[in-house]
Amino acid sequence: MSASRPRALEGIRRATADDLDAIMAIETSVFVTDAWSRELMQAELTAPHSFYLVVERDGAVVAYSGLRAAPSVEDADIQTIAVAPHARRLGLGRALMHQMIAEARGRGARHVFLEVRADNPSAQQLYDSLGFERLGVRPHYYQPDDVDAVVMRLTLQPVPPTVEPQPPVEPLPPVEETPTVERSAPVEPLPPVELVETAPSNGGFRQAQPAVPAVGSAQPAARSTQPAAASARPGAVAAPLVLGIETSCDETGVGIVRGTQLLANVIASSMDEHARYGGVVPEVAARAHLEALEPAITEAVARAGIRLDEIDAVAVTSGPGLAGALMVGVGAAKALAVALDKPLYGVNHLVGHVGADLLDADGGPGRDIELPTIALLVSGGHTSLLHVRSLTDDVELLGETIDDAAGEAFDKVARVLGLPYPGGPQIDRVAADGDPAAIRFPRGLTLPKDMAKHRYDFSFSGLKTSVARWVERREDAGEPVPVADVAASFREAVADVLLRKAIAACVDRDVPRLLLGGGVVANARVRQLAQERADAAGIQLRIPALSLCTDNGAMIAALAAQRISAGFGPSGLDFGADSTLPVTDIQV
Amino acid sequence: MLLAIDTSAGTSVAVVDREGGVLSESTTVDTMRHAEVIGGMIRDALAQASVTPGELSGVAAGMGPGPFTGLRVGIAAAKAFALGIGRPVVPIVSHDAVALERYAWGHIGPLLVVTDARRRELYWSTYGGVDELGIPLRTGGPGLSKPDELPEAARRAAGHASALAELPRYDATSVSAGQLGLLAEWLYAARRPFAEDRPLYLRSPDVTPSSGPKRVTA
């Protein structure tokens, strides 16, 4: 023991402003082409949430590293790490990494992110061995060398390890690590996005447009010094190009969006095949999806004027909906994602209907949805009232139908009146000549006791039965059935209940905005009454274009694009079709 | 080189090569999780074979017969994958892959291949043997029968001279995507026709046309 030469390392300590000269000497020798400026480095050393370390050896600084971790922010970023050439292979990089990970943990971080040059396998091996996983590739991240960055992430366990305190410097044998060139621009961390599931040499997230600048940066100099890196920060994908697949009911929808811009919205409906059955037959719908999906994708890609391999992500409805129908889309979307080596986002159909309002049906730039908003989604399969505080991560189900969906009631009443399927447009057509006040049909779940217990829930089964009973009484008495009046009165009852509850939700929740979605929005009286009631209550009403209100793939793509831009990672490949997926599960 | 997918029974995914044979294959007999497992199994099959999607020349799809919900998942995946790589889908009758395997394992002469159709029914196909290339010669089916009607239906379809003789029967619980893919390769090499690009449900949707609204008052 005593014969062994004492290690020459003095140890690791926090960097101070006095270390700037020594750090810059290493910086300019290690990062020859893309060294940070002295001003930038100085700002970094003293930035509020920075944590910089130096390693001294024989009285000289031979290595340094920087961490950015704001207190109680879940994501920490390794900003830079560099070891002087003559001090490599001593395990200094590993020792610095251990210290920074421990610091991130101590500040309450759950994840530590870093970028490393794709042409530096030994550094990548070091991070692999520390437990970092590869999230994806950022093409052309390092300029001017034009080298890709591999994005890596370490997930920290909530409880710090209790085994032994980390020694200042691990007495490791020299290893072939050269962790000298991993770094990112010192900008304020944005929520990172998991870009792709693997790190193919040519894969990764194509930046569709220049990314949004990082906000709230404490270092305005950062971007001018490191423009390429700054624009490629994780989470900064402004307008991802997403292909969305929707097969939850009887419409095969394939849409393509770039952020909030609609590029294609192809819908193949099997409605005609269901007509003779008087309603959607799940097996008929699922068979039709299988036939329609491939042509629909092909057409959407052609209309969007893109190549399939240009997309940044694939999105698919994972639920709620008809299980067998959903599975066709889920199976196809997974295979497409693997074939293209793109991330896959399985998203919620109902929240997708809200996302439809992001898009302009004519292909304009789209818009932000003003939030919070109440959303009333009414179709043949759903009647739901949502409180949307954030499209990407905060949606609450206020109520839904406890029996038939509103669209289903239209279909059933149409049959009672001898009108063809689908019932909505037929009832709308004949009701135009009728008196909505001719017959007072019941308003489900609107009695005071119901409004206490089922304030935002709907029921249309009793209404449908009531209409049938009324019609049968007339027929049994040998009297003619006033079809127009029945249709108008029935339609009025449905619209009245829908809007009464939706407006109540707006008032109760103090949310002066109402958004409509779903196929029943095509009903003229529903739209008209919504406008009247919203105006009377001082509520702003939004109704997307009808081509975006009915089931479609564009809304699914738009929702996924929002999730991507907000920094959420992909869904992986193991999810299934969930026929009862709750709205709180915006993405599976 | 082909990716091969079959979900007519459980889920099976393989990468095959005409020269190299089955490069990778994984199969699960679980008949309830086709949509859940299909993506990961495709990814893993490619990884195990060290093949990238761009190296494939097509996708072999098992067209059934099979219970519809699961069968569709594999066909939809095969078509979407093929679209993604800009290559064709090669439709194959799933029972033919079962037969190929049986003959490869040494079976000789006529053969009855049977798979579960659920609802107490069976899917079946009959084979007379193999041709000079080892490709099974289907003589009847694929068909759908109740179990007790199966022997007669199959023998009739086979048109077998010795109709009274027992047709050797093999009940398959899984269909090998590896065999499916090899069959596709050989059919292509021999310029034989593939199956029709049509899922073999062999059943109509479970529904009867509406007979008008029901009375709600007595």
Side-chain angles (χ1 to χ4, degrees), chain A residues 457-471:
Chain A
D457 288 331
F458 302 91
S459 169
F460 296 105
S461 180
L463 170 61
K464 170 208 69 185
T465 306
S466 177
V467 172
R469 211 172 263 141
W470 195 94
V471 169

Side-chain angles (χ1 to χ4, degrees), chain B residues 59-139:
Chain B
V59 183
M63 304 305 287
F68 25 71
T69 305
L71 177 65
R72 270 192 294 270
V73 172
I75 298 174
K79 291 192 167 191
F81 195 99
L83 194 61
I85 60 173
R87 304 285 181 185
V89 171
V90 183
I92 299 289
V93 173
S94 300
H95 280 180
D96 291 359
V98 176
L100 182 74
E101 186 169 47
R102 299 316 297 167
Y103 287 117
W105 281 37
H107 183 84
I108 294 168
L111 174 67
L112 169 63
V113 171
V114 176
T115 53
D116 184 16
R118 305 207 190 144
R119 303 188 194 173
R120 298 180 186 171
E121 289 186 311
L122 298 169
Y123 291 123
W124 56 266
S125 297
T126 57
Y127 298 85
V130 293
D131 67 7
E132 69 281 6
L133 298 170
I135 295 172
L137 297 165
R138 182 156 26 88
T139 50

Side-chain angles (χ1 to χ4, degrees), chain A residues 93-106:
Chain A
R94 180 178 294 271
L96 285 167
M97 287 298 296
H98 275 302
Q99 291 285 299
M100 290 194 292
I101 291 165
E103 181 68 21
R105 193 195 307 277

